[in-house]
Amino acid sequence: MSVESAKAFYERVATDEPFQKQLRDAASNNQRLKIIQAAGYSFTSQEWELTLAEISRADDSKLSDAQLEAIAGGVGTIAQEQVWFNYQLPQRIWSGLKPSTNSIKQLHRFFYPPGWSIKTKLSVALLSVALIPMSLTSYNNLQQNLNSATDSEYRKLELLATSNASRLDQLLLDIQRVAVQVSTDKDVIRFLASVPEKQIDLRGSMERSLDNIFRSNPDYDVVYIVDKNGQCQGATDPTFIGQNYAFREYFQKALLGRSNVSSILLGATSGRPGIYFSNPVRSENGDIIGVAILKIKGEDIWAIVNKLQAGSQSYAFLIDENGVIISHFDKSLLYHSLTRLPPDKLRAIASDRRYGLKQIQSLDIPELAKSMVGAKESGHTSYYLPHEQTRQILGFAPLEQEPWVLGVNKPIEQFTAPLNNLIWDNSRNLLAVGAIVTIIALLLARSIAKPIHALTNAAQAIFEQNDFDPQELAQAAGGTDDIAQLVRVFLQMAEDVKQREQKLKQQVMELHIEIDEVKKARHVAEITQTDYFQQIQKKARKLKERSQQVSETETETDYFQQLQVKAQKLKDRNIKTE
């Protein structure tokens, strides 16, 4: 395509009348395009306009505007269609051969906000303004609710552990008082203070006293007394009599003058678990003459602890001062330490035969041991339970009477279930509100973008076709907002431009006529100023003067004959000069 092809087309249109007729008779631009293509011409609309402008400047127009409109009207549109045939089709084929390049461009445009349509920009802006603050507020509220629920759950476990620790404290305190009562019983004191010969007479009253205390509470396992050497001298269970318990820690501490409560130990004689309450027996002058011991059933303590629940899968357990579990619903975990015990503690436990085991197995939960063992006040924690491979939460509270700690345990799944429901409820609400906001944003963006698109299409129609359909903007111009005002201004501007264009065309036509008159005058002047034309004018004036001098007697016939002869001579002379 080139300007030369456009000029060649113009020359042929101006001189080839059959070609002119063929173009005039074309039914459509497409048919005219085929005719031009078949004739071998190829040019763009810009090249056609440049050709017409160049011809106009050179005053070399061979066709008037009306003739051009009748013969080659729509050539600019044809040229544009020709460009589509020559360029757009190969580009489409090329894009089909390289879809990845097109995809990359679309992806780049997707992540390039300045390249978005105004509808997309408005939608994103409205959604961002609405959803981002709402999401942040919702997230903040959710975090506060989750923290509140978490604190509430931990507090619940702590309160449950604290209340039941207090209950156990009261139980131990009450039983310790009974043990003191046994150690201060007159029959017991007289029996232990007497020599062996007199003890035979006092045994009956002593055993009745022990039996009365034993029958007062079904939780008691055995009541017995031992002398200073640890030898059992009397008991409600005959199997205890004659056994030596000097190795027991509760005996050793009581012999030093202190009351003592043991852990839940496995009985060396009975083989039954229980808690041993010991208190020194003093003579009338205050000397320690033995130890009174009251044992309660370990199963009863276990039953009290196992009743504590904070849910279907929760449970309570009790540890002693060494971190050894002395109460647990899972009997296989009894007498296991939370973490590995130091060698000195292991030796002390072994010498005391405290749990009836040769070795204390560790559950290897150091994070739990760190929180519970030796705790002085209630608290909570979470830890990983290796043998169940689950995460647990725990509220714990220490006992006041003994260095034991009661823990109420709960799987974290049970704890997080209501929190997950809270999260889902919050998410559903956020999605519902987000969906409503999205619809409103899209509708609002569409209502704003629609008249702008209509304005764009109208402007493009004016650029390409020099006209547009005002009805497409009628609806957008009916509002009272700024966009409606913009549409009305655009319509007024388009009308003014159209009128100015028509006026300009009229002025161009008038100017074209004036230019034609000037050309004619110039051509006439060029002719009249030649020597040949000046000679003819002189001869014409001489003939006119001579004709005026002809006498009245001269006949007209003679005059015309003379005139013809002179004209013939002039003609012959002109032929010779040419």
Side-chain angles (χ1 to χ4, degrees):
M1 290 183 291
S2 63
V3 176
E4 288 73 16
S5 180
K7 290 180 178 180
F9 171 71
Y10 180 86
E11 292 293 335
R12 183 171 177 182
V13 168
T15 58
D16 192 342
E17 293 185 359
F19 190 56
Q20 292 180 10
K21 185 176 185 305
Q22 187 179 8
L23 291 174
R24 281 196 303 267
D25 296 341
S28 64
N29 283 342
N30 289 331
Q31 186 175 357
R32 188 170 299 177
L33 172 62
K34 293 178 181 179
I35 295 172
I36 295 174
Q37 287 179 334
Y41 299 105
S42 176
F43 50 89
T44 65
S45 59
Q46 289 83 1
E47 292 169 347
W48 175 248
E49 295 295 335
L50 288 174
T51 300
L52 294 179
E54 184 177 347
I55 293 172
S56 177
R57 286 196 301 269
D59 293 330
D60 196 19
S61 300
K62 298 178 181 179
L63 296 173
S64 65
D65 292 340
Q67 288 175 324
L68 280 175
E69 184 65 25
I71 298 172
V75 169
T77 305
I78 294 172
Q80 290 177 356
E81 293 178 358
Q82 188 173 16
V83 171
W84 185 89
F85 273 102
N86 290 338
Y87 287 101
Q88 297 297 327
L89 186 58
Q91 288 178 0
R92 290 187 178 184
I93 296 174
W94 181 251
S95 64
L97 294 176
K98 291 188 175 182
S100 59
T101 302
N102 191 28
S103 300
I104 292 173
K105 290 182 179 179
Q106 291 179 354
L107 186 63
H108 178 267
R109 183 179 179 184
F110 179 79
F111 289 104
Y112 183 65
W116 293 350
S117 64
I118 189 170
K119 182 179 179 180
T120 304
K121 291 179 180 178
L122 286 173
S123 299
V124 172
L126 293 173
L127 289 175
S128 299
V129 170
L131 293 182
I132 291 177
M134 184 177 66
S135 300
L136 294 176
T137 303
S138 178
Y139 176 78
N140 183 57
N141 293 336
L142 177 61
Q143 289 299 317
Q144 291 181 354
N145 292 334
L146 291 176
N147 293 334
S148 176
T150 302
D151 294 340
S152 176
E153 188 65 23
Y154 278 127
R155 185 59 180 167
K156 177 182 176 182
L157 294 177
E158 286 184 30
L159 290 176
L160 188 60
T162 302
S163 62
N164 286 277
S166 299
R167 181 184 173 188
L168 287 177
D169 273 328
Q170 187 61 45
L171 176 63
L172 297 177
L173 183 60
D174 292 341
I175 297 176
Q176 181 65 32
R177 288 171 180 170
V178 176
V180 173
Q181 181 182 348
V182 174
S183 66
T184 57
D185 186 84
K186 294 180 179 180
D187 294 330
V188 171
I189 294 174
R190 281 199 301 266
F191 178 82
L192 291 176
S194 302
V195 296
E197 293 79 8
K198 292 185 178 181
Q199 286 181 348
I200 298 174
D201 297 332
L202 299 174
R203 179 174 293 276
S205 60
M206 179 269 296
E207 289 180 348
R208 282 192 298 271
S209 297
L210 296 181
D211 190 62
N212 289 336
I213 293 174
F214 174 74
R215 294 180 184 277
S216 66
N217 193 326
D219 293 334
Y220 298 159
D221 189 349
V222 63
V223 180
Y224 60 103
I225 58 175
V226 298
D227 59 19
K228 292 190 300 183
N229 298 320
Q231 195 78 20
C232 180
Q233 299 296 330
T236 56
D237 185 349
T239 60
F240 278 69
I241 298 176
Q243 302 291 332
N244 191 287
Y245 298 101
F247 64 89
R248 288 296 196 183
E249 185 180 10
Y250 61 78
F251 169 78
Q252 298 171 1
K253 289 185 177 181
L255 199 61
L256 296 175
R258 301 195 304 264
S259 297
N260 181 259
V261 180
S262 74
S263 181
I264 300 181
L265 308 179
L266 195 64
T269 303
S270 64
R272 298 186 300 268
I275 299 178
Y276 296 82
F277 296 82
S278 60
N279 199 69
V281 179
R282 299 178 182 272
S283 63
E284 293 180 358
N285 57 9
D287 296 332
I288 297 176
I289 57 177
V291 176
I293 303 164
L294 174 62
K295 176 186 177 183
I296 65 172
K297 299 175 183 178
E299 290 86 349
D300 293 340
I301 299 297
W302 291 345
I304 293 173
V305 175
N306 292 340
K307 286 180 181 179
L308 305 180
Q309 288 187 344
S312 59
Q313 299 180 10
S314 67
Y315 58 87
F317 63 94
L318 190 66
I319 63 171
D320 63 10
E321 67 275 15
N322 296 317
V324 177
I325 297 175
I326 58 177
S327 178
H328 201 287
F329 84 99
D330 186 357
K331 299 300 187 292
S332 64
L333 298 181
L334 283 173
Y335 310 125
H336 284 67
S337 62
L338 297 181
T339 187
R340 296 183 183 276
L341 297 178
D344 56 336
K345 287 189 177 181
L346 289 175
R347 287 193 296 268
I349 292 172
S351 64
D352 188 36
R353 290 184 280 175
R354 189 171 305 176
Y355 308 114
L357 300 174
K358 294 182 179 180
Q359 187 176 2
I360 303 298
Q361 300 292 333
S362 172
L363 297 178
D364 197 19
I365 316 176
E367 55 182 334
L368 181 59
K370 183 179 180 181
S371 300
M372 289 190 69
V373 178
K376 301 301 182 183
E377 57 185 16
S378 60
H380 62 266
T381 186
S382 65
Y383 66 97
Y384 180 76
L385 192 58
H387 71 276
E388 292 186 4
Q389 296 183 349
T390 57
R391 195 77 186 172
Q392 308 284 321
I393 61 172
L394 177 80
F396 59 88
L399 277 68
E400 294 182 0
Q401 299 300 320
E402 293 298 322
W404 302 345
V405 180
L406 178 68
V408 181
N409 192 86
K410 189 174 185 178
I412 200 167
E413 290 81 6
Q414 187 179 7
F415 165 65
T416 56
L419 299 184
N420 291 333
N421 293 333
L422 180 63
I423 293 173
W424 280 113
D425 291 340
N426 186 80
S427 300
R428 282 193 292 267
N429 294 335
L430 180 61
L431 289 175
V433 175
I436 295 174
V437 171
T438 301
I439 294 173
I440 295 175
L442 291 176
L443 292 177
L444 184 59
R446 183 176 181 274
S447 65
I448 296 175
K450 185 177 180 180
I452 296 177
H453 282 305
L455 281 174
T456 303
N457 294 334
Q460 187 174 3
I462 292 175
F463 175 75
E464 295 178 352
Q465 303 174 7
N466 200 26
D467 199 1
F468 73 101
D469 186 6
Q471 295 299 324
E472 296 181 357
L473 298 175
Q475 183 178 0
T480 58
D481 56 4
D482 295 339
I483 295 180
Q485 179 66 23
L486 175 62
V487 173
R488 288 193 291 270
V489 171
F490 177 83
L491 290 173
Q492 183 63 39
M493 179 192 69
E495 183 65 25
D496 293 344
V497 169
K498 187 174 181 180
Q499 292 178 0
R500 291 178 182 179
E501 184 180 6
Q502 292 176 352
K503 184 177 180 181
L504 182 61
K505 286 183 178 180
Q506 182 65 31
Q507 291 176 351
V508 169
M509 290 179 64
E510 293 176 355
L511 182 60
H512 185 70
I513 294 173
E514 292 178 359
I515 291 174
D516 289 342
E517 294 294 334
V518 171
K519 285 182 179 180
K520 291 179 182 179
R522 187 175 61 190
H523 290 163
V524 171
E526 291 176 353
I527 295 172
T528 56
Q529 291 177 2
T530 60
D531 295 338
Y532 173 72
F533 186 80
Q534 295 293 331
Q535 291 175 3
I536 293 176
Q537 281 188 331
K538 290 179 180 179
K539 292 177 180 180
R541 284 195 296 270
K542 288 179 180 181
L543 288 174
K544 185 176 181 180
E545 293 173 355
R546 186 176 296 176
S547 63
Q548 292 177 355
Q549 295 175 3
V550 177
S551 60
E552 295 180 356
T553 58
E554 189 176 12
T555 63
E556 292 180 0
T557 302
D558 295 335
Y559 174 74
F560 282 110
Q561 287 177 353
Q562 293 176 2
L563 187 60
Q564 286 178 350
V565 173
K566 291 180 179 180
Q568 185 63 37
K569 290 180 179 179
L570 289 173
K571 184 177 180 181
D572 294 339
R573 188 180 300 173
N574 289 334
I575 291 174
K576 291 179 180 180
T577 58
E578 290 177 358

